[in-house]
Amino acid sequence: MNFYAILWVGVLVAVMIASYLLNKRTPLPEGCEEVVCEGCADIACSHNAAHQKEE
Amino acid sequence: MGLFSLFIGLCLVNNVVLSKFYAVCPLLGVSKKPKNALNMGYAVTFVIVLASAITYLLYHFVLVPLDIKYLDLITFILVIASLVQFVEMFLKKTSPEIYKAMGVYLPLITTNCAVLGVALDNISSGYNFVESMVAAVAVSVGFTIVIYLYATIRERLEISNVPESYKGIPIALITAGIMACAIAGIAGLV
């Protein structure tokens, strides 16, 4: 039972990492480069506009 | 009638935002403009319905047969996070228009606890697949209605004569509290 649990969590983590990397490598469509979030002032969030300016 | 009651119950009476206080973060963060609120609602609807279907199937066809039901929470968190990444990637490649319309709201849904809450509630309530789908749509519609109404109220508050100490988040939270009281008044409907 523990073996299946560890295997299952490993599979999920692998899928998560793979999906993140694939998404990161997929180029943005034209005209979407300037999309930033201005919903709140939480600069800890990677989607905050402050991070876009730094880049 | 059962499915209709379920829909009305989850959409209005037991609205996830105003009765269970899920998704308060996007409610406060993405409700400054009604258009943004609607876009967030569409994106949440799409992800909640898809995530509910996938988590239901994984729970009943993987976790239960392997007797690892106790891993439901971590499974659902990772599945939802991966799902959002895949959906974003898919939209980037196939539908730039939809990707542009959803904008930054799609990745923000990863941290929306309503998505995880619905998936867990569906399992704990013992819903079948059809009921899970109805519940997912009902919760999403309820979320969209509330965030849109809230955004329109906040927009009017911007030009209202609010006392200085109540401006911004204080009056927004008071508004949310009054909306929660109002929605509690529908409790006798279903």
Side-chain angles (χ1 to χ4, degrees):
Chain A
M1 194 171 72
N2 285 337
F3 170 74
Y4 286 128
I6 293 165
L7 185 71
W8 177 241
V9 172
V11 168
L12 287 174
V13 170
V15 170
M16 169 65 207
I17 293 169
S19 64
Y20 175 79
L21 291 176
L22 285 171
N23 186 27
K24 200 87 177 167
R25 287 177 189 173
T26 307
L28 287 170
E30 284 182 24
C32 292
E33 286 79 7
E34 71 280 1
V35 173
V36 290
C37 179
E38 294 172 344
C40 66
D42 181 9
I43 56 166
C45 174
S46 62
H47 300 294
N48 190 281
H51 292 276
Q52 306 294 326
K53 281 167 193 165
E54 280 171 18
E55 286 166 9
Chain B
M1 187 62 190
L3 291 179
F4 181 72
S5 300
L6 183 69
F7 183 88
I8 296 294
L10 287 171
C11 184
L12 296 175
V13 184
N14 297 311
N15 187 288
V16 284
V17 185
L18 296 178
S19 69
K20 294 182 179 175
F21 306 111
Y22 295 163
V24 172
C25 178
L27 182 75
L28 293 174
V30 198
S31 59
K32 286 177 185 165
K33 292 176 188 166
K35 192 187 168 201
N36 291 353
L38 264 187
N39 280 343
M40 186 65 173
Y42 296 148
V44 165
T45 303
F46 181 66
V47 172
I48 283 185
V49 172
L50 205 57
S52 296
I54 291 174
T55 52
Y56 178 90
L57 295 173
L58 280 178
Y59 184 83
H60 286 94
F61 293 104
V62 178
L63 299 186
V64 172
L66 293 178
D67 197 22
I68 48 173
K69 287 184 278 187
Y70 56 89
L71 287 178
D72 57 352
L73 180 63
I74 193 165
T75 299
F76 293 173
I77 290 171
L78 289 168
V79 163
I80 290 165
S82 306
L83 177 69
V84 171
Q85 298 287 342
F86 276 121
V87 169
E88 200 183 337
M89 189 171 59
F90 180 77
L91 290 179
K92 272 182 198 172
K93 285 198 165 187
T94 59
S95 309
E97 292 83 16
I98 299 176
Y99 178 78
K100 208 182 284 185
M102 287 191 172
V104 76
Y105 304 115
L106 193 58
L108 285 180
I109 293 170
T110 311
T111 56
N112 187 337
C113 62
V115 184
L116 181 63
V118 173
L120 289 170
D121 280 351
N122 285 346
I123 299 300
S124 63
S125 303
Y127 294 149
N128 60 32
F129 187 74
V130 176
E131 287 169 339
S132 293
M133 290 298 95
V134 172
V137 173
V139 166
S140 312
V141 171
F143 172 82
T144 308
I145 290 171
V146 167
I147 198 170
Y148 180 71
L149 289 177
Y150 192 62
T152 55
I153 294 171
R154 282 189 77 177
E155 198 175 48
R156 294 186 71 172
L157 283 172
E158 289 290 320
I159 53 167
S160 300
N161 188 19
V162 179
E164 196 61 37
S165 57
Y166 282 94
K167 277 185 180 170
I169 291 294
I171 193 69
L173 289 172
I174 291 170
T175 307
I178 294 170
M179 283 178 74
C181 293
I183 214 100
I186 315 174
L189 189 69
V190 179

